[in-house]
Amino acid sequence: YYYHATNLLRAFDIADEGLKPHRPWEFTAQDAWPDGSKQKRIYFAPRAEIVWQFAPEEGDAVILRVPVTASRDFKHEKSTGAVYTRKPVEACDIEFLGVDGEWYPIDEIE
């Protein structure tokens, strides 16, 4: 699996629309991605404990995971160790970490 951090409000949108690539300044406070690119991307980490630090400051943090097969476009960013895709990830491939420590389909988020 690859892991992604968001907040609860955004998780509801993701449940409806899936994860969509965005520019670095959308949903983050940066002008470019770590490698200098400004193209639309979705960033992930190879371990859940890494992404907590990237959760938005506002709202309750939510950790998502997707199977490594959710995109044929996953690329590894050498400078950070992060993984990204430029392609959308469908909601049916996304799970969220519940408060009980179990993983659930994103469409079950409440």
Side-chain angles (χ1 to χ4, degrees):
Y1 290 96
Y2 292 136
Y3 301 87
H4 178 85
T6 191
N7 64 24
L8 186 57
L9 181 61
R10 188 76 190 101
F12 286 111
D13 292 337
I14 293 167
D16 290 336
E17 305 167 5
L19 274 166
K20 295 187 178 194
H22 56 83
R23 303 261 184 218
W25 51 86
E26 301 169 329
F27 308 113
T28 69
Q30 55 191 347
D31 295 327
W33 298 121
D35 64 0
S37 173
K38 295 183 179 186
Q39 66 187 180
K40 291 183 177 185
R41 295 178 175 177
I42 310 165
Y43 269 82
F44 298 88
R47 295 191 333 263
E49 59 271 13
I50 295 172
V51 296
W52 285 109
Q53 64 185 318
F54 300 108
E57 292 180 11
E58 64 282 342
D60 295 326
V62 176
I63 302 302
L64 308 177
R65 76 176 184 183
V66 302
V68 297
T69 57
S71 174
R72 297 171 74 196
D73 181 55
F74 281 127
K75 299 194 180 348
H76 292 267
E77 191 174 74
K78 293 178 182 165
S79 65
T80 64
V83 175
Y84 68 89
T85 182
R86 295 174 301 202
K87 305 287 185 193
V89 176
E90 295 188 34
C92 63
D93 288 325
I94 304 169
E95 296 178 322
F96 73 95
L97 181 61
V99 294
D100 60 0
E102 298 294 322
W103 292 96
Y104 299 94
I106 191 73
D107 64 355
E108 292 181 15
I109 200 161
E110 296 179 355

